[in-house]
Amino acid sequence: MANLLILPIILPFFAAALGLLWRTQRRLQRLLSLLGAAGIFATGIALISVVRQSGPLVLAVGGWPAPFGITLVADLLSAILVTLTGGIGLAVVVFSFSAIDAQRERFAYFPLLLILLMGVCGAFLTGDIFNLYVWFEVLLIASFVLLALGSERAQMEGAIKYVTINLISSMLFLVAVGLLYAEAGTLNMADLSQVIPQAPNPGLIAAIAALFLVAFGIKAAMFPLYFWLPAAYHTPPPVVSAVFAGLLTKVGVYALLRMFTLVFVGDVGYTHAIILTLAGVTMVVGVLGALAQSELRRILSFLIVSHIGFAVMGLGLYTPAGLSGAVFYIVEDMIVLTGLFLVAGIIDQVAPDDDLRNLGGFYAAAPLFGLLFLLPALSLAGVPPLSGFFAKLALLRASVAIGQYGIVAAAICTSVLTLLAVTRMWSEVFWKPNPRQEAIVLPRFGAQGLALWLPVIVLAGLVVVLGLAVGPAFGLASAAGQQLFDPSVYVRAVLGAGQ
Amino acid sequence: MQVVLAFLIGGLFAIAIYLMLRRTVARVIIGLALLTNATNLLIFTVGGLTRAAPPLIPEGQDRPTTPIADSMPQSLILTAIVIGFGVLAFMMVLAFRTTQVVVEDDTDRMQATDALVPVEMTDLAEPYDEEEESHPHDPVPTPRAQGAT
């Protein structure tokens, strides 16, 4: 059963390798990437059900027992995130069938996408801090190439900034790992959580924690380290932005959640207060940036930043309710942002650019298309009964419960401003007449169009379903939050009952 | 020895950061290469320096008989070197492609993706005319190429 854990890594790996071997066979590549993403999704669902029944699943890779070898661990959070990675991978692969040009496809677009998915799954599943660094590099190098593929001017400029800042963040991460190893003598996360409280030098541990916070903060695009994201995410084709928006920053948030619930919990009043403050500022600054922009994908890029703040806020609260809210928020955010970027991708198919001033008339052309934008957009702003409302509600209740009213104010302001930002997009792109005075011809539901519409419809539907079935969905997130708050289950599963 | 290495690492980090704050992409890349090496040396040093005690188990034994060097930092560094090498190679190719497409290696002129409204390239700051940076073959600032070539 534990061998399930290796599947989300080797399935996309083999699919990517085969795809690279037959680089010119477009249909084979498409089939392989579909199978790879579907495999991750199916394994994720299996992982969730197994982990729910019998606790965290652990695989000692190569048979080396826990603190010595590399372990793969799936607790509920990892299982949920792997499932979502598969789901978003599927949506993006299907959308790419008709959104990605033949040129990019010949230059191994699909294998790169699979490598990216593999890196993301590896980062979610590993129980070893150095291995986490390796997975970060795997997903980063795939994202570098995906970002630069096409070599348009904006892409190259965006890529230079994105690559440089991410390499600096990786180096900080590596420095932190080296120092942590010197201090604790182990790299296994569960073992670290046992050793760190007895570390002789708490001051150095705090410094290492700060290094991790900066390194993951850059990856997650937290204030004040978010500037690279709006400069880079809007430059590749929208479908690439969609997979970045759905997955990449969330890996940073996941790493923060993992390290700051499992390892660095020695001085919660200090570290998590900093995290909470940063979360609040991230929210407000991100949404203000979104209001200042006038291009669709740039607005969405700033909204990514803003809503990273909510996920991190749950970590900053550091209560079971806060962590549960954070888990549910990450799930909701991944679906919503991927959906919105894919909507931008459909608009990109028919419009010359994505400047709000040159867009318009989409509601008159296709009212139901407007609905597909509005559902995830309103969920992002937190309008009931969509899933975003319940995610925000859970976080707000958790903050009120421990009297953190400052973050409540920031969250409510951000929600209102997000609503303003999305209604602005709605009125400019959909409601206003088309300034170009020509008919908008959206892709039809043919063989080509279906690949565009299906993922958007499914993601918008998920937003509604998660809102209506919030009971069971939040139950799962809340169980994951409990596991995060009390890592003893995780530690016992990894190190054996003796600990 | 540790003190010497500590100063070396600190110096390397300082030089790397200084280079990465420069405006030309080429220097940023050299800075990144130094940063990678500084990080590797740091892992090596904080992992504990041991002289002439390789982690080898004598023949016939099943565990080492004398104190040995920790081999873990070295395996971490090996992995990091491989990754760093790959990433650096990619960065160089990227910079090469960028200079072809953007016709520019001054990062201050790569602001098309940051600005609120699309910027005319001629509106940007004066060309970088620091003494050492001037191109002998190109004394007069020429209008920069627009868009992809």
Side-chain angles (χ1 to χ4, degrees):
Chain A
M1 191 52 85
N3 286 336
L4 262 184
L5 281 172
I6 201 80
L7 287 181
I9 295 167
I10 58 168
L11 286 179
F13 176 74
F14 280 118
L18 291 176
L20 276 178
L21 281 180
W22 284 283
R23 209 155 61 91
T24 48
Q25 305 278 319
R26 291 177 64 188
R27 296 178 73 164
L28 182 72
Q29 281 203 22
R30 290 173 172 207
L31 182 69
L32 281 170
S33 43
L34 201 60
L35 286 177
I40 297 175
F41 184 65
T43 318
I45 292 193
L47 279 178
I48 290 183
S49 71
V50 172
V51 172
R52 255 217 121 162
Q53 272 174 12
S54 49
L57 208 55
V58 180
L59 174 68
V61 179
W64 293 92
F68 306 112
I70 291 170
T71 41
L72 296 180
V73 191
D75 65 347
L76 216 39
L77 174 65
S78 302
I80 293 171
L81 290 177
V82 166
T83 313
L84 272 164
T85 307
I88 284 170
L90 266 180
V92 168
V93 163
V94 171
F95 195 89
S96 305
F97 285 169
S98 60
I100 283 296
D101 47 294
Q103 183 77 6
R104 282 196 172 81
E105 225 172 309
R106 257 207 311 287
F107 283 99
Y109 169 81
F110 282 112
L112 283 168
L113 199 56
L114 285 167
I115 297 288
L116 181 72
L117 294 180
M118 173 181 86
V120 172
C121 287
F124 287 152
L125 286 175
T126 185
D128 182 282
I129 186 75
F130 188 76
N131 198 227
L132 182 65
Y133 163 75
V134 175
W135 288 121
F136 261 115
E137 293 299 307
V138 169
L139 70 90
L140 278 179
I141 196 82
S143 73
F144 294 163
V145 186
L146 279 176
L147 187 68
L149 201 61
S151 298
E152 284 158 24
R153 173 174 184 151
Q155 279 187 300
M156 302 317 279
E157 289 193 10
I160 286 275
K161 294 166 194 165
Y162 177 81
V163 171
T164 310
I165 196 80
N166 270 299
L167 292 184
I168 293 171
S169 139
S170 293
M171 283 307 122
L172 289 176
F173 184 7
L174 198 54
V175 166
V177 170
L179 291 173
L180 194 60
Y181 178 74
E183 199 61 7
T186 177
L187 294 166
N188 184 290
M189 291 186 206
D191 202 24
L192 279 172
S193 89
Q194 303 280 295
V195 175
I196 290 294
Q198 280 109 45
N201 209 340
L204 190 57
I205 297 295
I208 296 170
L211 267 175
F212 273 112
L213 183 62
V214 173
F216 294 145
I218 293 177
K219 310 259 187 216
M222 267 165 73
F223 178 87
L225 309 162
Y226 66 89
F227 294 97
W228 58 272
L229 190 147
Y233 268 28
H234 64 94
T235 56
V239 61
V240 176
S241 310
V243 69
F244 285 12
L247 298 178
L248 292 193
T249 50
K250 307 306 179 293
V251 184
V253 177
Y254 164 81
L256 279 176
L257 270 177
R258 185 61 82 205
M259 292 308 283
F260 283 86
T261 57
L262 189 59
V263 180
F264 299 116
V265 287
D267 193 0
V268 174
Y270 181 63
T271 50
H272 290 58
I274 294 178
I275 294 176
L276 193 64
T277 314
L278 291 179
V281 185
T282 309
M283 288 177 199
V284 177
V285 170
V287 80
L288 289 179
L291 286 171
Q293 296 292 326
S294 69
E295 280 170 53
L296 193 54
R297 277 184 278 154
R298 291 190 188 206
I299 299 176
L300 292 177
S301 302
F302 272 101
L303 287 177
I304 297 175
V305 175
S306 173
H307 289 258
I308 286 298
F310 281 94
V312 178
M313 162 187 168
L315 173 64
L317 296 172
Y318 198 59
T319 59
L323 291 172
S324 312
V327 174
F328 193 66
Y329 203 91
I330 293 176
V331 171
E332 188 266 345
D333 209 32
M334 284 166 111
I335 297 171
V336 161
L337 284 170
T338 313
L340 284 175
F341 268 98
L342 291 185
V343 167
I346 292 185
I347 293 174
D348 180 67
Q349 296 277 312
V350 291
D353 59 22
D354 69 344
D355 195 318
L356 293 185
R357 286 161 296 196
N358 302 334
L359 293 170
F362 277 90
Y363 180 72
L368 284 178
F369 180 46
L371 188 68
L372 290 180
F373 169 79
L374 215 50
L375 283 174
L378 290 180
S379 178
L380 194 66
V383 172
L386 300 167
S387 55
F389 167 73
F390 295 104
K392 288 200 169 72
L393 185 68
L395 284 173
L396 289 180
R397 282 181 57 174
S399 3
V400 170
I402 56 167
Q404 294 283 4
Y405 296 109
I407 196 78
V408 173
I412 291 177
C413 285
T414 307
S415 299
V416 173
L417 290 175
T418 307
L419 190 63
L420 184 63
V422 299
T423 43
R424 181 161 147 259
M425 280 192 275
W426 165 262
S427 64
E428 293 279 337
V429 179
F430 289 89
W431 199 248
K432 168 184 94 179
N434 188 0
R436 281 175 297 117
Q437 308 291 340
E438 55 190 55
I440 293 172
V441 187
L442 285 168
R444 298 250 136 242
F445 277 97
Q448 283 288 306
L450 193 64
L452 294 176
W453 289 111
L454 194 65
V456 179
I457 293 172
V458 170
L459 288 172
L462 263 180
V463 172
V464 181
V465 170
L466 269 185
L468 294 180
V470 70
F474 195 77
L476 194 63
S478 152
Q482 292 285 356
Q483 274 187 1
L484 279 178
F485 189 71
D486 176 21
S488 63
V489 185
Y490 180 98
V491 173
R492 238 186 338 233
V494 176
L495 297 180
Q499 298 292 318
Chain B
M1 192 62 197
Q2 246 152 353
V3 178
V4 178
L5 273 173
F7 275 106
L8 176 67
I9 294 165
L12 278 177
F13 268 112
I15 297 168
I17 290 167
Y18 173 74
L19 282 173
M20 288 199 295
L21 292 175
R22 303 302 296 272
R23 283 166 60 177
T24 50
V25 177
R27 281 161 205 239
V28 173
I29 294 176
I30 299 172
L32 272 176
L34 287 178
L35 192 67
T36 320
N37 288 327
T39 310
N40 291 341
L41 272 178
L42 183 130
I43 298 175
F44 182 62
T45 311
V46 297
L49 297 176
T50 319
R51 277 189 74 138
L56 297 173
I57 298 169
E59 212 175 330
Q61 304 279 333
D62 63 350
R63 65 195 62 198
T65 46
T66 51
I68 53 164
D70 187 357
S71 55
M72 195 65 154
Q74 299 169 26
S75 62
L76 299 189
I77 294 169
L78 266 180
T79 317
I81 287 175
V82 174
I83 292 176
F85 174 73
V87 167
L88 197 65
F90 174 79
M91 186 74 189
M92 283 177 169
V93 176
L94 180 72
F96 177 66
R97 267 310 271 157
T98 308
T99 47
Q100 282 185 331
V101 173
V102 187
V103 202
E104 189 66 76
D105 86 331
D106 181 355
T107 45
D108 267 16
R109 292 180 146 269
M110 294 189 187
Q111 295 183 354
T113 64
D114 283 325
L116 275 179
V117 286
V119 194
E120 286 299 319
M121 276 307 159
T122 45
D123 292 348
L124 290 175
E126 287 295 301
Y128 196 27
D129 55 357
E130 197 178 300
E131 194 64 34
E132 51 173 309
E133 300 276 323
S134 64
H135 306 283
H137 307 297
D138 185 18
V140 185
T142 49
R144 305 287 167 160
Q146 301 265 333
T149 45

